[in-house]
Amino acid sequence: MLPIRLAIDVTSGDNGPRVILNGILEARGLTADPFVVYLCGDGERIGSLLEELGVSESDRRGRLFIEQCSELVSPGEARSRVWRKRADSAIIHSVVLQKQGKVDASISAGDTGVLLSAAIFILGRHRGVKRPALAAFLPTTGKRHTLLLDVGANLNCRVEHLVGFGLMGYSYVKKFLEISQPKVALLNVGTESTKGTRTLFEAAKLLATRCKGYAGFIEGSGVLQGEADVVVCDGFAGNVLLKTSESFYPLARSLLGKKPELAEAIMNNLDVLNPENYGAVPFLGIRGIVLKAHGSSSQRAFANAILAAINSVKKKALDLALNPGWEGLKLR
Amino acid sequence: MLPIRLAIDVTSGDNGPRVILNGILEARGLTADPFVVYLCGDGERIGSLLEELGVSESDRRGRLFIEQCSELVSPGEARSRVWRKRADSAIIHSVVLQKQGKVDASISAGDTGVLLSAAIFILGRHRGVKRPALAAFLPTTGKRHTLLLDVGANLNCRVEHLVGFGLMGYSYVKKFLEISQPKVALLNVGTESTKGTRTLFEAAKLLATRCKGYAGFIEGSGVLQGEADVVVCDGFAGNVLLKTSESFYPLARSLLGKKPELAEAIMNNLDVLNPENYGAVPFLGIRGIVLKAHGSSSQRAFANAILAAINSVKKKALDLALNPGWEGLKLR
């Protein structure tokens, strides 16, 4: 098997390049799959950090490549144009490398909006996709994980966007988790058909006819119980749900901290809830594999992000165009 | 002290009148404050249930009164008109008793929309309030609880509604938790000022000038960490956040169930997360004390709902008009 080739934006994220590089080194020990990494960022800084971390020139050879990027994206810049204006920034360059066929997937902990517009304008969307979505797997007490989308790329959604998320989520989970017919649900404030907004009523009607796995509404309380395999919502509600559920692990740790003798034993049991285990989340609907890592990602989170990228490349689950019935899909 | 007088809708809720009556009896043992209850519902059924539960006529005297209600609200009825059309239903009658000055507060586990419109049309709103809000206290790892509003009464919110929620929440928490200047935050997908929707940007601008305690944006991950005393959002996001956080307790229990020897000790420590401890949530902005209990409320949840009602009556925290500066407030 040829090694999987990844581009990683080393400049973004709240914790600095050292944490990211350590995450990459940690990932080596976690997978048997060979992979090479293109490190996008300030070449000189990356070089000296690698030296500090004890990675010699010969260790690097054929496994770690430095891609010099000189520009930085500042928070105020218009997100839709930044992919062109800051082509020499690490976040944009990591996507460009994918377009050039140099890598199979890219990972960045940078701004969601910047990364999404780079993905849309550089790699393009799958046919029929109006709005690509950021999707996250959540741990559940059910048999398997649940895919939640959108989790922050599309804050205001119209009916057709929600329907598109449902179809993309269905297609992705079917391949990625190898389920024959994933259960798709729409997030709502109640499961009764009379509760919710007009947008949700219409999306429900369309999904019922267009999406094989559509199973109705789901409440916030049902998501982590694994009541559905795919949960569809706008990016605002999804972001709130994702981040709230991520806060449960530190919350439990803090509550148990008063009894340290219990804490360790328990936290091992609750480890499924640890957000560090879920390193990065994919954009669905993009012609390529672009993963978004949390801004606050730790070393372990980056290591897991790399595993997620490798898995995505191997399973081809993001190649939605390959899914029967998808190509012909036309949404208003 | 005169006993506090409560009206309770015994017909609503998923678990039937027996659970509600048991909750009322349980509450007797949990508070030293004397209280009397007006039981709204099918008088005959309530009478025979009380007998079954071993409550004699003399036990009831001066403490439990039956208010015969013959109608039921069906799910399909228009919520805005049902308060007039179904005046003889328990959910509506419990609010009417408050208007008549017979009780100090009312509790129902019925439909949020029906209860809200009954509260608005029968009791009226405080001056300056466009949209009353359903508010819930969430447990946090911080020093105290956090008030989240709206949690489901207003699914679509405009700028002025969010600003109103911030002002009402500030006023309520100041009195209820006796904090001199509660910290108010707007729920968003990031804390940076460039992230979010236009509605949020405008609400942030207005809150910054009108609400003393306004402290900026908060993410879903910060809420249960107690980063703010009041968290403002539309009812859709609030409902999702509330229900997701309520699912943590059963989630932890289910994860720990594999190790029963650990489970009990741990769950006692995590009990602050148990939604049963938070029996019912108030509508803010209403001229009266109307509490909404969860449809799925257990006996313990109803007992705690009664304690919440007693507390609300004693602290007069919902009497927002008494708050200096509130009366003069005019929102577009």
Side-chain angles (χ1 to χ4, degrees):
Chain A
M1 187 176 132
L2 280 173
I4 287 167
R5 303 158 306 161
L6 308 174
I8 297 183
D9 166 10
V10 180
T11 63
S12 304
D14 309 336
N15 299 320
R18 184 192 299 266
V19 165
I20 302 180
L21 294 175
N22 269 323
I24 296 169
L25 300 176
E26 190 182 330
R28 293 254 173 249
L30 301 174
T31 174
D33 294 315
F35 66 93
V36 303
V37 178
Y38 290 77
L39 303 161
C40 305
D42 174 350
E44 215 166 298
R45 175 120 172 77
I46 296 172
S48 66
L49 274 172
L50 285 174
E51 226 166 273
E52 272 177 57
L53 296 171
V55 182
S56 70
E57 285 280 349
S58 65
D59 284 342
R60 281 161 57 176
R61 198 161 304 137
R63 309 208 300 181
L64 293 176
F65 304 95
I66 294 176
E67 290 280 324
Q68 171 62 30
C69 300
S70 312
E71 292 185 307
L72 286 174
V73 178
S74 39
E77 297 186 87
R79 287 169 189 181
S80 53
R81 260 171 282 153
V82 82
W83 66 276
R84 196 194 290 271
K85 214 174 126 202
R86 298 278 178 239
D88 195 27
S89 65
I91 183 170
I92 307 295
H93 189 65
S94 64
V95 178
V96 169
L97 286 176
Q98 213 175 141
K99 180 68 180 175
Q100 294 171 340
K102 273 177 130 173
V103 300
D104 305 301
S106 59
I107 302 171
S108 172
D111 182 272
T112 307
V114 169
L115 190 60
L116 174 60
S117 54
I120 290 176
F121 292 113
I122 296 168
L123 299 173
R125 290 168 290 181
H126 281 299
R127 207 173 146 177
V129 175
K130 277 222 142 176
R131 292 257 195 108
L134 196 57
F137 275 113
L138 294 178
T140 74
T141 51
K143 272 183 237 157
R144 48 189 173 238
H145 285 50
T146 288
L147 189 77
L148 176 71
L149 74 168
D150 180 78
V151 296
N154 305 281
L155 300 188
N156 294 310
C157 290
R158 291 200 302 273
V159 175
E160 62 264 38
H161 304 142
L162 294 176
V163 175
F165 298 167
L167 292 165
M168 290 194 293
Y170 177 83
S171 159
Y172 178 68
V173 161
K174 203 173 146 88
K175 279 191 188 175
F176 197 81
L177 298 185
E178 293 159 32
I179 310 171
S180 64
Q181 186 161 311
K183 220 170 137 183
V184 177
L186 263 174
L187 187 64
N188 199 350
V189 298
T191 52
E192 305 91 327
S193 63
T194 54
K195 288 202 174 165
T197 61
R198 269 186 216 174
T199 304
L200 285 172
F201 297 152
E202 289 206 27
K205 225 186 293 171
L206 280 171
L207 278 169
T209 58
R210 294 190 185 202
C211 180
K212 272 187 211 163
Y214 183 65
F217 293 137
I218 190 170
E219 293 180 82
S221 48
V223 178
L224 299 182
Q225 288 180 49
E227 286 178 6
D229 301 304
V230 178
V231 173
V232 172
C233 57
D234 66 53
F236 194 88
N239 189 276
V240 166
L241 200 161
L242 176 68
K243 287 182 177 160
T244 303
S245 61
E246 284 176 352
S247 76
F248 184 44
Y249 187 80
L251 187 73
R253 176 146 52 190
S254 153
L255 289 171
L256 294 170
K258 293 162 201 159
K259 307 227 173 170
E261 73 282 7
L262 286 180
E264 201 182 342
I266 280 86
M267 293 318 286
N268 289 340
N269 257 15
L270 293 177
D271 203 45
V272 67
L273 297 174
N274 188 346
E276 290 196 339
N277 292 336
Y278 308 93
V281 294
F283 285 110
L284 302 193
I286 292 293
R287 291 187 186 274
I289 301 173
V290 178
L291 299 183
K292 161 83 178 92
H294 241 300
S296 62
S297 292
S298 63
Q299 173 180 326
R300 186 169 159 206
F302 270 106
N304 282 311
I306 289 171
L307 302 190
I310 290 172
N311 236 329
S312 295
V313 175
K314 283 166 74 181
K315 297 206 176 182
K316 295 186 176 152
L318 286 166
D319 205 353
L320 300 172
L322 290 182
N323 201 50
W326 177 262
E327 276 228 36
L329 177 76
K330 275 197 193 79
L331 288 167
R332 270 167 304 150
Chain B
M1 185 177 134
L2 281 172
I4 287 166
R5 302 159 306 162
L6 307 174
I8 298 183
D9 167 9
V10 181
T11 62
S12 304
D14 309 336
N15 300 320
R18 183 192 298 268
V19 166
I20 302 180
L21 294 173
N22 269 324
I24 296 168
L25 300 175
E26 188 181 331
R28 293 254 174 251
L30 300 175
T31 174
D33 295 314
F35 66 93
V36 304
V37 177
Y38 288 78
L39 303 161
C40 305
D42 175 350
E44 215 166 297
R45 175 119 171 80
I46 295 172
S48 66
L49 273 173
L50 285 174
E51 228 167 87
E52 272 178 56
L53 297 172
V55 183
S56 69
E57 284 280 348
S58 64
D59 284 342
R60 279 161 57 174
R61 198 162 303 137
R63 309 208 300 179
L64 292 176
F65 304 95
I66 294 176
E67 290 279 325
Q68 170 62 30
C69 300
S70 312
E71 291 185 306
L72 286 173
V73 178
S74 38
E77 296 186 89
R79 288 171 188 179
S80 54
R81 262 171 280 154
V82 82
W83 66 276
R84 194 194 292 271
K85 214 174 127 203
R86 297 279 179 237
D88 195 28
S89 64
I91 183 169
I92 307 296
H93 188 65
S94 65
V95 178
V96 169
L97 287 176
Q98 213 176 141
K99 180 67 179 175
Q100 294 171 341
K102 273 177 130 173
V103 300
D104 305 301
S106 58
I107 302 170
S108 173
D111 183 272
T112 307
V114 170
L115 191 60
L116 174 60
S117 54
I120 290 176
F121 291 114
I122 296 168
L123 300 172
R125 289 167 292 181
H126 281 300
R127 208 173 143 176
V129 175
K130 277 222 142 177
R131 292 259 194 106
L134 196 57
F137 275 113
L138 295 178
T140 73
T141 50
K143 273 182 236 158
R144 50 189 172 239
H145 284 50
T146 288
L147 189 78
L148 177 71
L149 75 169
D150 181 78
V151 297
N154 306 281
L155 300 188
N156 294 310
C157 290
R158 291 200 301 272
V159 175
E160 61 264 38
H161 304 142
L162 295 176
V163 175
F165 298 167
L167 292 165
M168 291 195 292
Y170 178 83
S171 161
Y172 178 68
V173 161
K174 201 174 149 86
K175 279 191 188 177
F176 197 82
L177 298 185
E178 293 159 31
I179 311 170
S180 64
Q181 186 161 311
K183 218 169 139 184
V184 177
L186 263 174
L187 187 64
N188 199 349
V189 298
T191 52
E192 305 91 327
S193 63
T194 53
K195 287 203 175 166
T197 61
R198 270 186 213 173
T199 304
L200 284 173
F201 296 153
E202 289 206 25
K205 229 188 287 171
L206 279 170
L207 278 169
T209 59
R210 294 188 184 203
C211 181
K212 273 186 209 161
Y214 183 65
F217 293 137
I218 190 170
E219 292 180 82
S221 49
V223 178
L224 300 181
Q225 287 180 50
E227 286 179 6
D229 301 304
V230 178
V231 173
V232 172
C233 58
D234 66 54
F236 193 88
N239 189 276
V240 166
L241 199 161
L242 177 68
K243 287 183 177 158
T244 303
S245 61
E246 284 176 352
S247 75
F248 290 165
Y249 187 80
L251 187 73
R253 175 143 54 189
S254 152
L255 289 171
L256 294 170
K258 292 163 203 157
K259 306 229 172 164
E261 72 282 6
L262 284 180
E264 202 181 341
I266 279 87
M267 292 319 285
N268 290 339
N269 258 16
L270 292 178
D271 202 45
V272 67
L273 296 175
N274 188 346
E276 291 195 339
N277 293 336
Y278 308 93
V281 294
F283 285 110
L284 302 192
I286 292 292
R287 292 185 185 275
I289 301 174
V290 179
L291 299 184
K292 161 82 178 94
H294 240 299
S296 61
S297 291
S298 63
Q299 173 181 326
R300 186 169 159 205
F302 270 106
N304 282 312
I306 289 171
L307 303 189
I310 291 172
N311 237 329
S312 295
V313 175
K314 285 167 72 181
K315 298 207 175 183
K316 294 185 179 155
L318 286 167
D319 206 354
L320 300 173
L322 291 181
N323 201 49
W326 176 262
E327 277 229 36
L329 177 76
K330 277 197 192 77
L331 287 168
R332 269 167 305 153

